[in-house]
Amino acid sequence: MSRLPFYFIVGLLMVLGIALSVHRHIQMEVPWTPGEQRQIWEVEAIVDFTALGDPVRVDLALPANQRGFRILTENTASPGYGLSFLQDETGRRGQWSIREASGSQQLYYSVRIQVTEDRRKQQLPFPPLAEVSWERPYDTAASQVIERAWTRSADAYTFTRELIRDFDDDRQGENARLLLTQFDRTSLLVRLLNQAGVHAREVSALQLEDGRRRQALSSWIVVFADEENWALFNPRTAEQGQPENLLLWESGGRAVLEVQGGTNSRVTFSMLSRNQPAAAAVRSQLADDTLLNFSIHSLPLEEQALFQTILLIPIGALVVVLLRVMIGVKTSGTFMPVLIALAFIQTSLSTGLIGFLLVVAVGLVIRNYLSYLNLLLVARVSAVIITVIAIISIFSVISYRVGLNAGLTITFFPMIILAWTIERMSILWEEEGPKEVLIQGGGSLITAVLAYLAMNNPWIRHLTFNFLGIQLIIMAFILLLGNYTGYRLLELRRFKPVTED
């Protein structure tokens, strides 16, 4: 029979698991290791104005996800005001409204922004060329400034750099000085660029500096080479490109702040930088995962804690398969060691080992007495279950009385599984003798310890919880191991006499 469908399924599981995990790492920036840190900026905008006793409407430009930055959470404080978040082709805006207000008013907007490694250029709305008209003698001065920069440039970007440099103090001519007496530097440069046929727009950006208070937005120029490609220019230094800590706050060509029903309006910004574990930094975004980024983080915290343990079981199953199929370790029950390893995670390894050995040892003694009563199987196993519960209860009380609080965690052991383990070992003792009990009991304990060490590893816990594609990869490995028909490692000792000869 052809094994091609089998290997196709295994390969498909492997590819899907790796693809989902890599996509999650790149798209959602979930880290591969649990100790990674992410820089988080907390920015607070304060809108101050004086209301005139009439209806008030306040429009404030809001930042969006962009190159190098991702918005995590937003909060506002505006008692008595209605608030709406609006989105159009020019960008995001927050709109506060109230029927009547008078006197000094303050509105607060705060945002938590994560610094990301995503360097993809964001799409900005392509600005049309504005109609530019000048009064005399500014029209002549503008034409001469444009002509001078045009002859020393080759494209829209080089023309912009030359134009900005012509307004520097060391290269500033009479025409440039004349224009600066009438116009603001940034808006003047945009007018000149539009007159020269270069699509450009003034944008407002926030320079992120840790611990700064009451900062204002700065003006920058976006120059478009075509409808998709653009570059950011500093209108004071002609530097091209977006600095690392520059956050574009308004890039649609509208005013940052618009207030109706008030005067003396202004907006100031305060900011603070701190580091945060990467997993916690992206948790709010993971809660809104799409189907492709299916995430446990969308569940309530109680269920998340439950699944964090459940998702470790395939790791324990993989350890069991490796030890039984490849090594040849004998265990009492197929996956009983995995459940014991889960109990070790709750109790700690040393406490769990001592508790497991005590419960099984005392249980075997009591089970040996029950064998003389000639009970039916169901009644005998039920009696063993009750016995296990009694043993665990007694040990817990004794531990508490002598001050060993760690002994209380013995209640995390799966009582039904312990009862069946005691029953199986007792039957094995009667049929095969104590040697086989030690072999299978020791094998179970070794397997449980190794499974515990694998499942309790912080790196593995992080991967299994944050990358569900890992489950598909584990499934593929288990299927491959299930196809193994060769010798087990412990069976090779049978060939020792051959090597001696």
Side-chain angles (χ1 to χ4, degrees):
M1 183 177 178
S2 175
R3 304 293 293 172
L4 185 61
F6 170 78
Y7 289 113
F8 174 78
I9 293 174
V10 170
L12 182 63
L13 288 173
M14 190 75 69
V15 170
L16 283 176
I18 294 174
L20 285 174
S21 301
V22 172
H23 176 270
R24 189 169 182 78
H25 172 71
I26 295 175
Q27 188 69 23
M28 311 298 291
E29 296 195 3
V30 180
W32 293 118
T33 57
E36 290 189 30
Q37 299 283 319
R38 290 287 186 269
Q39 184 182 18
I40 302 295
W41 285 98
E42 296 184 359
V43 181
E44 181 183 68
I46 304 176
V47 178
D48 295 286
F49 66 97
T50 302
L52 305 176
D54 299 323
V56 175
R57 191 179 74 180
V58 179
D59 282 311
L60 176 67
L62 303 180
N65 292 330
Q66 56 192 265
R67 176 184 177 184
F69 299 100
R70 175 182 295 130
I71 294 176
L72 298 180
T73 59
E74 296 175 289
N75 296 286
T76 61
S78 50
Y81 281 81
L83 174 63
S84 299
F85 291 99
L86 308 177
Q87 176 83 44
D88 57 23
E89 65 278 359
T90 62
R92 300 175 62 245
R93 301 186 73 84
Q95 187 177 91
W96 289 265
S97 59
I98 193 171
R99 181 61 63 179
E100 182 180 352
S102 60
S104 178
Q105 305 287 310
Q106 278 192 332
L107 305 177
Y108 294 87
Y109 167 80
S110 62
V111 59
R112 293 176 66 249
I113 302 173
Q114 176 191 344
V115 177
T116 70
E117 299 176 357
D118 184 5
R119 297 303 172 187
R120 291 175 297 178
K121 185 175 293 185
Q122 73 180 107
Q123 289 297 111
L124 296 181
F126 186 67
L129 289 175
E131 295 184 5
V132 181
S133 61
W134 308 87
E135 296 180 356
R136 297 183 63 86
Y138 303 108
D139 55 348
T140 303
S143 299
Q144 291 181 2
V145 168
I146 291 173
E147 182 178 356
R148 182 184 178 190
W150 189 267
T151 57
R152 300 197 307 271
S153 64
D155 52 30
Y157 296 159
T158 56
F159 172 70
T160 302
R161 284 198 297 269
E162 293 300 322
L163 186 64
I164 295 174
R165 287 170 182 165
D166 282 342
F167 285 87
D168 290 341
D169 293 336
D170 55 343
R171 286 176 53 174
Q172 195 177 104
E174 294 183 358
N175 293 320
R177 283 194 293 271
L178 175 63
L179 292 170
L180 286 174
T181 61
Q182 184 68 17
F183 303 97
D184 174 72
R185 184 187 183 98
T186 306
S187 59
L188 171 61
L189 290 169
V190 173
R191 286 168 62 91
L192 294 172
L193 288 168
N194 277 267
Q195 181 174 340
V198 177
H199 294 262
R201 172 188 290 135
E202 181 180 352
V203 297
S204 298
L206 181 65
Q207 185 68 44
L208 298 174
E209 298 180 46
D210 188 25
R212 299 300 297 270
R213 300 173 62 250
R214 296 194 173 278
Q215 299 299 297
L217 298 177
S218 57
S219 296
W220 293 68
I221 299 175
V222 172
V223 177
F224 288 79
D226 50 50
E227 293 188 3
E228 295 182 357
N229 298 308
W230 56 269
L232 192 67
F233 286 87
N234 188 327
R236 293 160 293 280
T237 63
E239 292 182 3
Q240 180 179 342
Q242 183 175 348
E244 183 176 351
N245 287 342
L246 188 72
L247 173 68
L248 292 182
W249 195 273
E250 200 289 319
S251 56
R254 294 181 59 182
V256 174
L257 178 63
E258 298 176 351
V259 177
Q260 298 180 12
T263 59
N264 301 324
S265 61
R266 67 168 184 165
V267 57
T268 56
F269 300 85
S270 303
M271 61 211 76
L272 190 67
S273 173
R274 61 188 181 88
N275 289 328
Q276 182 175 329
V282 299
R283 185 172 292 122
S284 59
Q285 183 184 7
L286 294 176
D288 300 325
D289 273 346
T290 59
L291 181 61
L292 190 58
N293 268 330
F294 183 75
S295 173
I296 299 299
H297 292 82
S298 58
L299 297 174
L301 287 178
E302 184 178 357
E303 280 70 24
Q304 288 187 41
L306 174 63
F307 271 97
Q308 191 170 29
T309 302
I310 291 176
L311 292 174
L312 293 173
I313 294 178
I315 298 294
L318 179 61
V319 171
V320 172
V321 173
L322 280 170
L323 292 178
R324 294 196 57 161
V325 174
M326 304 297 294
I327 309 298
V329 176
K330 294 182 179 180
T331 61
S332 178
T334 307
F335 291 104
M336 182 272 288
V338 178
L339 300 177
I340 299 301
L342 286 175
F344 288 167
I345 291 176
Q346 303 296 329
T347 63
S348 81
L349 184 59
S350 57
T351 303
L353 281 173
I354 295 173
F356 176 79
L357 292 174
L358 285 175
V359 171
V360 172
V362 176
L364 281 174
V365 173
I366 297 176
R367 167 60 179 81
N368 185 54
Y369 170 74
L370 292 176
S371 64
Y372 292 105
L373 301 180
N374 294 322
L375 300 177
L376 296 175
L377 176 63
V378 175
R380 188 170 66 244
V381 173
S382 301
V384 173
I385 292 174
I386 298 173
T387 301
V388 169
I389 295 174
I391 295 170
I392 291 177
S393 302
I394 293 172
F395 285 163
S396 298
V397 172
I398 293 175
S399 299
Y400 178 74
R401 290 294 180 87
V402 299
L404 299 176
N405 293 332
L408 298 175
T409 58
I410 197 174
T411 55
F412 286 106
F413 278 111
M415 299 178 187
I416 305 298
I417 299 301
L418 282 178
W420 272 107
T421 301
I422 293 170
E423 176 68 19
R424 287 171 60 89
M425 286 186 175
S426 178
I427 295 175
L428 191 64
W429 189 300
E430 296 172 356
E431 295 180 352
E432 303 290 339
K435 180 180 177 181
E436 192 66 23
V437 171
L438 290 176
I439 291 175
Q440 293 194 17
S444 298
L445 210 55
I446 291 173
T447 304
V449 171
L450 293 178
Y452 161 80
L453 294 176
M455 296 163 65
N456 202 44
N457 183 282
W459 190 71
I460 291 179
R461 292 173 69 92
H462 172 80
L463 287 179
T464 55
F465 183 63
N466 291 285
F467 298 92
L468 294 186
I470 297 294
Q471 307 298 323
L472 299 180
I473 298 175
I474 295 174
M475 171 72 81
F477 276 119
I478 289 177
L479 290 178
L480 284 176
L481 290 172
N483 197 44
Y484 177 75
T485 56
Y487 286 106
R488 295 174 175 86
L489 187 61
L490 294 180
E491 292 177 340
L492 297 180
R493 61 184 178 181
R494 293 186 301 170
F495 298 93
K496 186 178 181 180
V498 176
T499 60
E500 292 176 351
D501 292 341

